[in-house]
Amino acid sequence: MASTKGAASYKKNDGTLALSKDLQSASWTPVAPPGSSPALTIAVTSITNLQQTPASSAKVMLKIFTQGSGASAPETHIFTFTSPTLARAEADAIKAALSTSIQAAKSGSGTPAAAGGGGGSASAAMAIASAVSSTPGGAGNVNNWYDDTSLKSDVGLQQSLLKADPSLQKTFIESLRTKPESITNAQFTSRYWSTRTHLLRAHAIEKNQTRGAYNVLSTIKPKTEEGATRLSISKEQIQLIFNQHPLVKRVYDENVPKLSEESFWSRFFQSRLFKKLKGEKVMESDPIDAVLDKYLRVDEEVDRSQRILGSHIPHILDLEGNEANHSQRKGNDGDITMRPTSIDRVPIIRTLNTLSEKIMAHVAPADVDPSEPIGMDEETFNSLALRDLQGDAAENRIMLNIKDQERFFTDDRQDELSADAKLYAQQNPSEVLMGLQMDLNPDLMESDNGGGLNLDRAIGINADSDSEEEEPDTPKQQHVGSKASIRSATSQIFSAIQQRRFQSDDFSSSAPGFSTIQTSTSGLTPTLFDRLSLTHATTTEFLQHFWLAFLSGDAERAGEIANSVESLNRAMDRVKAVANDADEEKAREIEKLKRQVRDYQERTGKRMRYNPDIIGGGAKVVNDMLGPTVQAVGKAIAEYRRALAVEGVEAS
């Protein structure tokens, strides 16, 4: 690969600071005489420290501290980068590469792979890793994103995630408060975050993201306040303007402090030079500034042309290099869209293209040079690979395939036959078939007005009769399709729908992105409903801890399993407490309704219909909502006791 290098002066002599291809040494070569050999070579193993001037500094300098094996004091080498536009980018790239090589040498991991040395499948990962490593602190933090142990031990990151997610914070605090005393805070915290490493990793990446460069001049717009035009600009925006438009920095250096800081920027944002740099067309009616207008003829493209000439461009992309072979020179002129035009006609296109090129020059390349060697060691590839874009890793667990889940999540009477099954078992199939044939015999069935058979009569339905409503207490065999059977089926369907909504809706989540249209609380007050949601969340948390330890097969985690069972028992007590409070709350609401009925009757002399069924809530609603969770807890405790019985240990 091409070595990382930059134009830099050393001891007031111009030259080039470059890194070797294996990134194990840095060398400085003077410009004069041409073809000189490196005058200074620094081995990475001898470097003890690196220092660089901040981004706000006008000069870009890199100080390298070296100390040989026999030296008593460190030696310093100061390099000043002299490129008018790429000085900061070159210094950042060289410092980042040296930092990575120094860390690799200290850890004994060998020579770091060069960026872009892998195949196309790893180029995107390498580009992102290179971009992260070039940020302050990025080279040390990127490895922590992939290490689960580091994520689970990063207390600051965990606290930051809890502050960013109120729902997660509420679950953590409640689970910590209700944990058994036998579990220490450190043990609980480790178990809690062991199931949420993906959230920690995503939050760590989100925190380390920084805003890239942007077209700063287009975002600066004056505002009119109290009849006066005001403009607000920050130091960061001024630094971006200097980086993106070196001409502005030159104008600033030549005219300040002749002009005051405030006066310079006020005149600049109203000048023709400002419009030209933005890509707008300069009009004759624009105000004239004797100081700034003399820079209108300065072409910012000169430095760009020099950089293009100094770089290698493939012939397939070099249009000027192939200009001699254009057929238009030998005959008709090209289409109007292919003819070069003056920059004054479409200045914004040239300005935006130039600015985009400057911004992209600071972005790590995602492509690979075909001339570079292909391949990298496996350790380097694994450290640069994006885990989130890979498939799910194969879990080293015993897969549990359940064909019929109802066998494991039903009540204790699952072995008994249902009422319908018992009824069907007592019937004689031949008699049933004979009765069905008689009901469907066309000779015995009546006809309707259209000449068709009346199927209602065949199954014993009389739509005009109200006898079913008049005698509800009379025991009567229900026909299929009768009014009573239709009411029963309707009630069963709506009950199943309501139960399904209780199980599927997310009541506890308040984070943005979830639907705010949720099922009603079924008569529970918001305070009690929040308690129910929090109880469900903490119980689910303890269930996760139990199954992770129980299914691990590790005998050393027996104590952890026992603690989890204790947590589940206490969770059942909390469910019962919520149900009891719901009953007390419902009783208070019913008593309140009775008082309203009595007050209405005393005030108006009229009787008001009293119907306590309109009051919702109560223990029944709580048990319906938490029914599946209670069954899951019971299943976990039963499996634990069964495992103890197999080992010959009595459950405490």
Side-chain angles (χ1 to χ4, degrees):
M1 59 167 285
S3 59
T4 304
K5 61 182 179 180
S9 63
Y10 178 65
K11 295 182 179 180
K12 298 183 180 181
N13 294 321
D14 293 336
T16 302
L17 179 63
L19 302 182
S20 61
K21 294 184 178 181
D22 58 358
L23 302 180
Q24 294 303 299
S25 63
S27 59
W28 180 80
T29 305
V31 175
S36 301
S37 58
L40 175 66
T41 301
I42 304 174
V44 171
T45 54
S46 64
I47 299 177
T48 59
N49 192 15
L50 295 174
Q51 291 183 359
Q52 185 180 358
T53 54
S56 58
S57 176
K59 291 186 177 181
V60 182
M61 304 173 66
L62 178 64
K63 181 184 291 187
I64 302 178
F65 294 81
T66 62
Q67 185 174 4
S69 57
S72 58
E75 184 181 359
T76 59
H77 304 277
I78 301 177
F79 300 93
T80 303
F81 290 85
T82 57
S83 175
T85 57
L86 300 177
R88 179 64 59 180
E90 293 174 351
D92 291 342
I94 292 178
K95 182 183 177 183
L98 287 176
S99 299
T100 304
S101 300
I102 293 171
Q103 291 180 1
K106 290 182 179 180
S107 61
S109 59
T111 304
S121 60
S123 59
M126 297 176 66
I128 293 179
S130 175
V132 172
S133 300
S134 63
T135 61
N141 295 334
V142 65
N143 294 328
N144 295 339
W145 299 350
Y146 300 138
D147 187 6
D148 293 347
T149 304
S150 300
L151 291 174
K152 289 186 289 186
S153 61
D154 193 342
V155 180
L157 179 64
Q158 296 167 6
Q159 293 178 351
S160 175
L161 177 57
L162 292 178
K163 292 180 181 179
D165 192 340
S167 177
L168 188 64
Q169 183 183 28
K170 186 184 299 183
T171 303
F172 176 81
I173 295 175
E174 181 66 16
S175 301
L176 184 63
R177 185 183 66 83
T178 57
K179 70 175 180 62
E181 296 181 357
S182 56
I183 301 178
T184 63
N185 292 342
Q187 291 175 342
F188 170 79
T189 304
S190 177
R191 297 176 190 177
Y192 184 85
W193 293 113
S194 63
T195 59
R196 293 172 172 84
T197 53
H198 61 291
L199 297 179
L200 292 172
R201 183 175 296 108
H203 187 65
I205 296 175
E206 180 182 359
K207 286 185 60 179
N208 283 272
Q209 288 180 340
T210 57
R211 184 177 182 181
Y214 59 96
N215 187 359
V216 62
L217 290 182
S218 63
T219 61
I220 300 176
K221 298 179 181 179
K223 297 180 181 180
T224 303
E225 297 180 359
E226 300 179 356
T229 302
R230 301 182 183 275
L231 187 67
S232 177
I233 184 172
S234 62
K235 294 181 179 180
E236 291 76 9
Q237 290 176 321
I238 293 177
Q239 187 62 37
L240 275 176
I241 294 176
F242 287 163
N243 293 337
Q244 295 177 5
H245 302 281
L247 178 60
V248 179
K249 188 175 185 303
R250 172 185 168 185
V251 176
Y252 178 86
D253 293 338
E254 294 179 357
N255 295 278
V256 177
K258 297 177 183 179
L259 298 175
S260 64
E261 185 92 9
E262 182 179 356
S263 175
F264 172 80
W265 291 113
S266 176
R267 296 173 64 171
F268 171 74
F269 288 113
Q270 299 179 26
S271 65
R272 297 185 176 187
L273 179 62
F274 174 66
K275 294 189 64 176
K276 177 187 175 184
L277 295 178
K278 283 183 64 177
E280 299 178 1
K281 191 172 183 179
V282 178
M283 308 296 293
E284 294 293 337
S285 59
D286 292 334
I288 299 175
D289 191 306
V291 176
L292 300 179
D293 286 355
K294 62 183 181 180
Y295 296 97
L296 288 174
R297 298 299 178 182
V298 178
D299 191 3
E300 282 193 314
E301 298 292 316
V302 175
D303 181 69
R304 175 176 176 270
S305 301
Q306 293 177 354
R307 287 188 286 106
I308 292 178
L309 293 175
S311 60
H312 171 70
I313 301 178
H315 291 299
I316 192 173
L317 302 178
D318 189 3
L319 298 181
E320 294 182 356
N322 299 330
E323 187 176 2
N325 299 324
H326 286 179
S327 59
Q328 288 82 353
R329 291 186 174 275
K330 301 179 181 179
N332 297 332
D333 198 358
D335 187 76
I336 189 173
T337 59
M338 301 300 294
R339 301 174 190 173
T341 56
S342 172
I343 188 174
D344 295 333
R345 297 188 59 181
V346 281
I348 190 170
I349 297 179
R350 185 73 62 87
T351 301
L352 293 179
N353 288 341
T354 304
L355 184 59
S356 300
E357 182 181 353
K358 293 179 181 179
I359 293 175
M360 293 303 297
H362 297 276
V363 178
D367 53 355
V368 181
D369 190 350
S371 62
E372 294 176 354
I374 298 176
M376 68 169 65
D377 58 277
E378 185 176 358
E379 182 180 357
T380 304
F381 175 79
N382 292 334
S383 64
L384 299 177
L386 295 179
R387 295 188 179 183
D388 292 343
L389 300 183
Q390 297 177 356
D392 297 335
E395 297 183 356
N396 188 17
R397 298 180 182 177
I398 300 176
M399 299 301 297
L400 178 62
N401 299 319
I402 302 177
K403 296 182 179 179
D404 187 5
Q405 297 187 10
E406 295 182 357
R407 293 177 52 194
F408 301 95
F409 299 98
T410 55
D411 53 16
D412 297 336
R413 298 172 297 175
Q414 59 182 359
D415 296 334
E416 299 181 6
L417 295 176
S418 63
D420 293 338
K422 292 181 179 179
L423 179 61
Y424 296 149
Q426 296 175 0
Q427 294 181 356
N428 188 351
S430 59
E431 295 179 359
V432 174
L433 291 176
M434 184 177 296
L436 182 61
Q437 291 175 356
M438 293 180 62
D439 290 339
L440 299 179
N441 189 352
D443 298 334
L444 302 178
M445 297 174 62
E446 298 180 1
S447 301
D448 55 14
N449 297 332
L453 299 177
N454 190 346
L455 297 180
D456 291 343
R457 291 290 184 180
I459 58 178
I461 296 180
N462 186 3
D464 299 330
S465 175
D466 296 332
S467 59
E468 296 181 359
E469 286 76 8
E470 294 174 358
E471 302 177 358
D473 299 332
T474 304
K476 184 177 181 181
Q477 183 178 2
Q478 296 182 3
H479 289 274
V480 176
S482 63
K483 292 183 178 180
S485 63
I486 291 176
R487 285 198 301 270
S488 177
T490 303
S491 176
Q492 183 180 4
I493 291 174
F494 280 111
S495 176
I497 292 175
Q498 184 180 17
Q499 183 70 16
R500 182 66 176 176
R501 294 174 69 181
F502 285 151
Q503 298 178 9
S504 60
D505 285 359
D506 185 5
F507 296 99
S508 60
S509 176
S510 59
F514 290 92
S515 175
T516 57
I517 303 176
Q518 298 177 344
T519 308
S520 65
T521 58
S522 299
L524 299 176
T525 60
T527 303
L528 190 61
F529 188 76
D530 289 341
R531 280 186 56 195
L532 183 145
S533 302
L534 200 56
T535 301
H536 172 265
T538 55
T539 305
T540 304
E541 181 69 25
F542 291 131
L543 276 172
Q544 291 179 348
H545 295 173
F546 170 80
W547 287 115
L548 286 175
F550 186 79
L551 297 177
S552 64
D554 189 357
E556 296 181 356
R557 304 182 68 177
E560 180 181 343
I561 298 174
N563 294 334
S564 299
V565 172
E566 182 182 353
S567 301
L568 294 178
N569 289 327
R570 298 179 63 177
M572 297 297 293
D573 296 337
R574 289 192 295 273
V575 172
K576 294 178 182 178
V578 174
N580 294 335
D581 292 345
D583 267 344
E584 295 177 0
E585 182 184 77
K586 183 176 182 180
R588 289 193 297 268
E589 292 294 330
I590 293 177
E591 186 63 28
K592 181 180 178 182
L593 179 62
K594 289 180 180 180
R595 289 197 302 268
Q596 292 177 354
V597 172
R598 287 195 299 266
D599 294 343
Y600 178 81
Q601 186 175 357
E602 293 174 357
R603 186 173 64 254
T604 62
K606 299 179 181 180
R607 294 187 60 182
M608 180 180 179
R609 184 179 179 183
Y610 169 69
N611 183 14
D613 294 337
I614 63 175
I615 303 297
K620 184 178 182 302
V621 173
V622 174
N623 293 331
D624 289 343
M625 289 185 177
L626 297 181
T629 303
V630 172
Q631 293 181 17
V633 172
K635 178 64 178 178
I637 296 176
E639 289 293 331
Y640 173 70
R641 292 176 178 175
R642 186 179 295 109
L644 290 181
V646 172
E647 298 294 333
V649 181
E650 294 184 1
S652 57

